[in-house]
Amino acid sequence: MSNKPYISPAQAAYVHRERRRQRQVVLCRFLLLFTLLGLWEAAARMNWIDRFIFSSPLLILQCLISMAADGSLFLHTGITLYETLVSFFLCTILGLSIALLLWSSRSAAQVTEPFLVLLNSLPKSALAPLLIVWLGNNMKTIIVAAVSVAVFGSVLTLYTGFGQMDEQKVRLIYSLGGSKKDVLIKVLLPGSLPLVISNMKVNIGLCLVGVIIGEFLSARAGLGYLITYGSQTFAMTMVVTSIVILCIVSGLLYQAIAWVQKRIER
């Protein structure tokens, strides 16, 4: 006897329609991308736009090949990726730890919440020059700048989510003789897992933005350094190429977290 679950014809038809729709969405995405790239290249070739200022897909491809040949592509991308991952790891640990601390102490949350809101609303680019003076012109400054961009919003988001957990489950644990530790382990963390993953998806992009801000002001290598160097020397193709690489890196990092989320949900 087969162990496979029975699927009705209506269910099979629905699954087939959904898979076909997903394939159509992916196909439309690629068609849209190639159409935009084709229009961009055509506009550059027909002098509708200035290739020196706006570059073109062909020039970007040539720049990528040249950077890959001399190794600069992997050097600068690797540095930016390393700084982003380190800052993302620190932001995740700090954000979750501080949010749990505020959840465990209502008094501490009431005292510190206005300061967290103030720090979160502060333009982080204004802190970058101070960080250079305090920490020096090095990678540590860039990582701290990236963490400062994301950590305060992460704390507020997680703490707000922790405060919206199911009160009935909390009362049940307390009525059975459980402690706050039991609430944390059996209700809060399992129930807040989707919130934590969603917050990580936001933080990975914010950390990348923070790294680029730091590299604009304090870097000797990295994609942010390439953008600054290219703009100062009017090498606009290098600038656009660096932005394209940033888009690719950002998308891959987001998809990596989405893959982790699917594995956890399974």
Side-chain angles (χ1 to χ4, degrees):
M1 185 175 179
S2 176
N3 293 326
K4 292 183 179 180
Y6 171 74
I7 299 178
S8 66
Q11 289 175 316
Y14 172 78
V15 171
H16 176 71
R17 287 196 304 269
E18 283 298 307
R19 290 178 177 175
R20 183 175 62 182
R21 187 184 67 82
Q22 291 176 0
R23 290 195 295 266
Q24 290 174 346
V25 168
V26 173
L27 179 61
C28 289
R29 288 174 179 174
F30 279 105
L31 287 176
L32 178 60
L33 175 62
F34 289 131
T35 300
L36 293 176
L37 292 176
L39 290 174
W40 185 5
E41 183 66 31
R45 287 179 177 271
M46 301 180 69
N47 294 323
W48 294 345
I49 58 175
D50 191 339
R51 298 181 69 182
F52 178 77
I53 297 176
F54 294 97
S55 188
S56 72
L58 183 58
L59 291 176
I60 292 173
L61 180 60
Q62 292 173 350
C63 184
L64 281 172
I65 295 174
S66 175
M67 292 173 63
D70 62 20
S72 60
L73 172 64
F74 308 106
L75 170 65
H76 295 289
T77 304
I79 289 175
T80 297
L81 183 60
Y82 172 77
E83 293 168 344
T84 302
L85 291 177
V86 171
S87 59
F88 171 71
F89 175 78
L90 293 175
C91 182
T92 301
I93 297 299
L94 288 174
L96 186 59
S97 300
I98 296 174
L100 288 174
L101 180 63
L102 296 179
W103 170 81
S104 64
S105 176
R106 186 177 179 183
S107 298
Q110 291 175 338
V111 171
T112 58
E113 186 173 5
F115 298 98
L116 289 172
V117 173
L118 179 65
L119 291 172
N120 185 49
S121 62
L122 180 69
K124 306 308 182 294
S125 57
L127 293 176
L130 291 176
L131 293 176
I132 294 174
V133 175
W134 293 341
L135 303 176
N137 189 8
N138 49 47
M139 185 179 292
K140 180 169 61 176
T141 300
I142 298 172
I143 293 175
V144 172
V147 171
S148 68
V149 169
V151 68
F152 302 113
S154 176
V155 171
L156 290 173
T157 300
L158 292 175
Y159 172 67
T160 303
F162 291 164
Q164 297 175 351
M165 62 180 173
D166 193 344
E167 289 292 336
Q168 298 297 328
K169 293 181 180 179
V170 176
R171 291 175 185 153
L172 177 61
I173 288 181
Y174 283 138
S175 65
L176 295 175
S179 62
K180 202 160 191 174
K181 180 180 178 181
D182 296 316
V183 174
L184 173 65
I185 297 175
K186 301 181 183 300
V187 177
L188 183 65
L189 291 180
S192 300
L193 189 57
L195 172 66
V196 174
I197 297 294
S198 177
N199 189 61
M200 290 171 65
K201 289 181 178 179
V202 175
N203 285 345
I204 193 65
L206 290 177
C207 287
L208 184 57
V209 170
V211 164
I212 298 302
I213 292 175
E215 288 181 348
F216 282 163
L217 300 175
S218 171
R220 298 180 180 87
L223 295 176
Y225 167 79
L226 283 184
I227 294 174
T228 303
Y229 176 79
S231 62
Q232 292 174 347
T233 59
F234 294 97
M236 304 311 296
T237 298
M238 179 185 294
V239 174
V240 179
T241 302
S242 301
I243 294 174
V244 170
I245 297 172
L246 279 175
C247 293
I248 295 173
V249 170
S250 177
L252 291 176
L253 291 174
Y254 182 89
Q255 290 301 322
I257 297 177
W259 179 81
V260 172
Q261 181 181 14
K262 290 180 180 179
R263 297 287 295 181
I264 292 175
E265 289 174 351
R266 288 179 182 177

